[in-house]
Amino acid sequence: MTWIVAFIAAALAFGLLDAMWLGWAGENFYRPRLGDMLADSFRMGPALVFYAAYIAAIVWFAVRPGLAGGLGAAALNGALLGAICYATYDLTNQATLKQWSTTVTITDICWGAFATAVAATVATFAASKLA
């Protein structure tokens, strides 16, 4: 039951944060910097695969150690996971695409660290209290 609660809590926390961020940043931050590289419309299939895998990674790499070491451990591991995952995407794009914004890379890495740390902390708290 602990892992189900952790997964649901992480999904809700990360999903809410990312929906708010992408709802604003899509048109106001990403489109001005990435322009034609962005798809005309959102593709739900790949997004759902990403979110399912990423939430599972949050639970395994941040919530699990957080349940043993406390909320600080969950937040730290979440921040590290988020930073490295988002850095993988952005730095690969920066290395392989003709044009990629350094501002996008830095912002994305910070966002990934923050959102993943919050989701991991919320999920750890929920799992420790509700499961």
Side-chain angles (χ1 to χ4, degrees), residues 5-106:
V5 169
F7 189 92
I8 291 170
L12 290 173
F14 191 82
L16 178 63
L17 286 171
D18 219 32
M20 290 187 323
W21 168 248
L22 293 174
W24 175 83
E27 290 302 317
N28 297 299
F29 180 73
Y30 292 112
R31 186 140 328 262
R33 287 164 181 82
L34 302 177
D36 291 340
M37 287 187 283
L38 293 177
D40 292 332
S41 63
F42 182 75
R43 295 185 200 114
M44 186 61 74
L48 290 175
V49 172
F50 164 74
Y51 284 112
Y54 195 65
I55 298 305
I58 292 171
V59 171
W60 183 259
F61 292 110
V63 175
R64 187 175 56 91
L67 289 171
L71 296 179
L76 176 61
N77 284 304
L80 292 171
L81 175 67
I84 197 68
C85 288
Y86 279 67
T88 300
Y89 171 78
D90 282 285
L91 292 172
T92 298
N93 284 340
Q94 203 158 11
T96 61
L97 298 176
K98 287 182 182 180
Q99 295 180 349
W100 187 262
S101 167
T102 300
T103 302
V104 168
T105 295
I106 293 167

